[in-house]
Amino acid sequence: PELRGAKDYSFPVAKFMSDKFPGRITFTWGNSLETVPSRIPELRDKCDIVVVDGGHDAATAWQDTVNMRELANPEFAIFVIDDVNCIADYCRGPEEAVARAVKQGMLEMLLKRAAMWDGMVVGEESMGVAMRGFSLGSYIDKRSGGARAQMQASSDAGSPKGGMTKRVEETGGKSGVTSKGV
């Protein structure tokens, strides 16, 4: 299909991931402001991983963050957002959306990474030279306290693999929706 925002590699990567993890990953294509809300009735609270990698203006990144929260497993989910922690213009909107979600108590950010063009990680915070970056976080949920609390609880219970790995195994490793938008 011809989709604005979809890269040449998007569909082969989706096929590879779907073949590698059958029945565990859902990809949603198209304008994320339309397609993600249409999937909420089917996927509400079912996704252990949600990825925001759609529009790069602040309003779209914010709405994607809000909509993906509806899909996130309330007991444990990892939030991933692309194109943050870098100096490129396209990082400003997603960074504003993350800052707003953190300020409003919706998200707790767990990890920030900046990368150079060759994909080499250069540090936890942007060093002012990165053209790409991403962040991992958790939607803060009243029942669980977010991913950090879940990981700590699993670690406190003596998990030999660490909290996050153990929790993903316990939930069956169901992955989430990645939203490739306009």
Side-chain angles (χ1 to χ4, degrees), residues 2-76:
E2 179 86 20
L3 293 173
R4 190 172 152 220
K7 308 290 185 216
D8 290 341
Y9 54 79
S10 298
F11 296 106
V13 167
K15 181 178 180 345
F16 171 81
M17 296 295 289
S18 295
D19 290 348
K20 185 82 171 160
F21 305 102
R24 295 176 60 193
I25 297 177
T26 302
F27 290 90
T28 299
W29 306 98
N31 182 336
S32 58
L33 297 176
E34 299 167 4
T35 58
V36 173
S38 74
R39 303 298 302 271
I40 290 172
E42 172 192 357
L43 297 172
R44 183 184 306 276
D45 297 338
K46 292 183 179 177
C47 300
D48 290 342
I49 300 171
V50 295
V51 179
V52 172
D53 185 14
H56 290 92
D57 62 280
T60 300
W62 166 253
Q63 196 58 54
D64 284 348
T65 300
V66 170
N67 289 339
M68 295 299 261
R69 185 175 192 270
E70 295 298 314
L71 305 179
N73 179 338
E75 296 302 318
F76 182 85

Side-chain angles (χ1 to χ4, degrees), residues 75-151:
E75 296 302 318
F76 182 85
I78 296 295
F79 168 84
V80 181
I81 188 164
D82 193 32
D83 296 324
V84 292
N85 309 316
C86 62
I87 63 169
D89 288 341
Y90 51 76
C91 291
R92 290 188 186 132
E95 286 175 356
E96 287 179 33
V98 167
R100 181 177 174 189
V102 169
K103 184 176 181 180
Q104 291 186 12
M106 180 190 301
L107 280 176
E108 174 185 25
M109 299 315 293
L110 304 171
L111 176 71
K112 296 179 181 180
R113 288 284 185 225
M116 298 187 336
W117 277 109
D118 64 4
M120 183 179 83
V121 172
V122 295
E124 291 205 9
E125 299 290 335
S126 174
M127 299 177 70
V129 297
M131 294 303 290
R132 291 281 179 204
F134 68 93
S135 286
L136 302 178
S138 171
Y139 287 106
I140 297 171
D141 185 89
K142 293 177 184 170
R143 289 177 285 178
S144 68
R148 189 181 307 268
Q150 285 291 328
M151 288 187 287

